[in-house]
Amino acid sequence: MLERPRKGERSLLVHIGYGRPCHADETAEFEALAESAGAQVVGALHAQRDRPDPRYFLGSGKVEELARLVSDTQAELVLVNRALSASQERNLERALKARVLDRNGLILDIFAQRAASFEGKLQVELAQLEHLSTRLVRGWTHLERQKGGIGLRGPGETQLETDRRLIAKRIRALRERLERVERQRQTGRKERLRSKVPVVALVGYTNAGKTTLFNALTGSRLEARDQLFATLDPTVRRLPLGNGDEVLLADTVGFVRDLPHELIAAFKATLAEARDAALLLHVIDVSDPHHQDRIAQVEAVLDEIGAGEVPRVQVYNKLDLAPDDGARVSWERRGTAVPVSAVTGLGLDALRDVIRKRTLGDRLAGRITLSPEQSRIRAKLYDWRAVRAEAAEPAGGWTLTVELTAHRWNELRRGGGLSAAALEPERELEAAAE
């Protein structure tokens, strides 16, 4: 597996822009990634390339400048904000006399540190091994087949070939185990579908406040930290919406620009929570000046994992950190988004109303007459706390005044064999509210 940087390791950051200098948000995000991995940032080098150099990615002049900077800062690790080929990484290490890690390797290392569940650890190990399999280099040559006569020949298989064979075997084993985990997850999802409880998934850019919002809505106490990729393993909890209505809310891994393809492939079982959800809540950090760019990056990842067609609601979080009152008013006036503050609770009731309306439909009110043989329907309505009044019929049975969502009314019809006219409408609450 990849050698993991030790906490406090002295690291030098290399920011490379394509055809332009790196933007401030790009450099700040890469520095935050390095700090999330436990690196001690001791310096940075900025460069600009129209196209990558096939040998170093950087030009030879920048490599010499970087080597001097590594020597001056006594850096132990060089972190590059671009994806490097195996040969570029190896050539840079030789020229700089220091370990080199590209952006993908850095993100993989953070995931390795944060994975807590059995499934998460398997997914990270698979992604690391697939990344490492393209970066195997000859570490020693004493076992190679050599020329030189009797007693100097090796066993025939180089250490490099042995490593490749062992890694390929481990990758096959991990994929088989993850397939079994995926089948278990599919069983769980089928049970949720059978229970007719809609699933709502939180998605968004990393550190947008998804876990804090998850805790505020469900009353959970998941650890929420102000750092990138604080949450890796998905968590599902019940979200009460009032009047006995509820959905399941899933907290998922945060996205980031240029998320490594190895991670997207390895975490497909986890990301399936977003793909199979009835509704996505796209959480956006309204205090981030680059939030529009973040929105586009999240949408691109959703398309890549097959969740592009899932209905979604944009949730502008951290409203309490909005730059000024004028900006706050502009967010509150947006008709296509819900402004909230997970910390203060502002807007959470409105968000619950939107979730209920998008997943369960408008609330309906009316009267329904049931015969004594339909007591199970009556019991279900009481279980849902949908009964507002009840009157016994002289000939037996009951007339119930009920209030429930369109989703549950359709479920009741399918399960109880009721016709659409069985509910005598008094009013439709949403229309009356308007």
Side-chain angles (χ1 to χ4, degrees), residues 215-257:
N215 289 339
L217 288 171
T218 65
S220 302
R221 295 183 179 180
L222 300 183
E223 184 177 4
R225 290 168 288 179
D226 185 17
Q227 59 182 201
L228 304 185
F229 299 121
T231 300
L232 288 188
D233 301 306
T235 304
V236 181
R237 296 285 188 274
R238 292 188 178 273
L239 170 59
L241 298 176
N243 297 305
D245 298 326
E246 64 181 15
V247 297
L248 295 177
L249 186 65
D251 188 16
T252 63
V253 63
F255 301 152
V256 71
R257 73 174 77 229

Side-chain angles (χ1 to χ4, degrees), residues 3-42:
E3 183 180 353
R4 182 179 297 175
R6 298 176 301 278
K7 185 175 182 180
E9 187 165 7
R10 298 176 63 84
S11 302
L12 192 63
L13 306 186
V14 180
H15 305 286
I16 307 173
Y18 274 140
R20 57 167 178 80
C22 283
H23 293 153
D25 66 309
E26 295 173 328
T27 58
E29 179 182 278
F30 191 59
E31 184 173 352
L33 284 171
E35 292 173 349
S36 294
Q40 177 189 353
V41 179
V42 296

Side-chain angles (χ1 to χ4, degrees), residues 148-299:
I150 297 173
L152 296 179
R153 295 183 178 90
E157 183 177 47
T158 67
Q159 185 65 38
L160 189 62
E161 291 167 343
T162 303
D163 290 345
R164 284 175 177 156
R165 178 169 52 80
L166 293 175
I167 286 177
K169 182 179 179 180
R170 179 62 177 164
I171 286 176
R172 286 195 299 271
L174 286 171
R175 284 177 175 166
E176 290 173 359
R177 295 177 77 176
L178 282 172
E179 285 175 2
R180 291 197 295 269
V181 173
E182 170 62 8
R183 287 195 292 270
Q184 294 171 356
R185 279 195 171 275
Q186 287 178 349
T187 301
R189 282 194 289 271
K190 288 178 182 177
E191 288 298 325
R192 290 199 291 268
L193 289 174
R194 196 174 295 120
S195 68
K196 303 296 189 300
V197 180
V199 178
V200 178
L202 294 170
V203 298
Y205 209 79
T206 184
N207 209 28
K210 295 185 300 300
T211 301
T212 303
L213 181 60
F214 181 87
N215 289 339
L217 288 171
T218 65
S220 302
R221 295 183 179 180
L222 300 183
E223 184 177 4
R225 290 168 288 179
D226 185 17
Q227 59 182 201
L228 304 185
F229 299 121
T231 300
L232 288 188
D233 301 306
T235 304
V236 181
R237 296 285 188 274
R238 292 188 178 273
L239 170 59
L241 298 176
N243 297 305
D245 298 326
E246 64 181 15
V247 297
L248 295 177
L249 186 65
D251 188 16
T252 63
V253 63
F255 301 152
V256 71
R257 73 174 77 229
D258 302 324
L259 194 65
H261 291 285
E262 296 97 335
L263 277 178
I264 293 178
F267 275 73
K268 64 179 180 180
T270 300
L271 296 174
E273 295 291 351
R275 188 179 63 243
D276 297 337
L279 179 69
L280 299 179
L281 299 183
H282 181 177
V283 184
I284 301 161
D285 180 359
V286 69
S287 67
D288 184 353
H290 307 284
H291 63 270
Q292 292 295 342
D293 185 37
R294 306 283 191 256
I295 292 173
Q297 290 155 7
V298 170
E299 295 289 341

Side-chain angles (χ1 to χ4, degrees), residues 196-201 239-241 245-249 276-281 310-313 351-363 405-411 414:
K196 303 296 189 300
V197 180
V199 178
V200 178
L239 170 59
L241 298 176
D245 298 326
E246 64 181 15
V247 297
L248 295 177
L249 186 65
D276 297 337
L279 179 69
L280 299 179
L281 299 183
V310 179
R312 70 200 63 177
V313 171
L351 178 58
R352 290 188 183 94
D353 288 341
V354 170
I355 294 173
R356 177 185 54 75
K357 190 171 183 179
R358 294 291 298 271
T359 58
L360 303 176
D362 293 333
R363 294 191 66 82
T405 62
H407 175 85
R408 283 194 159 166
W409 169 238
N410 291 330
E411 179 184 340
R414 289 192 298 267

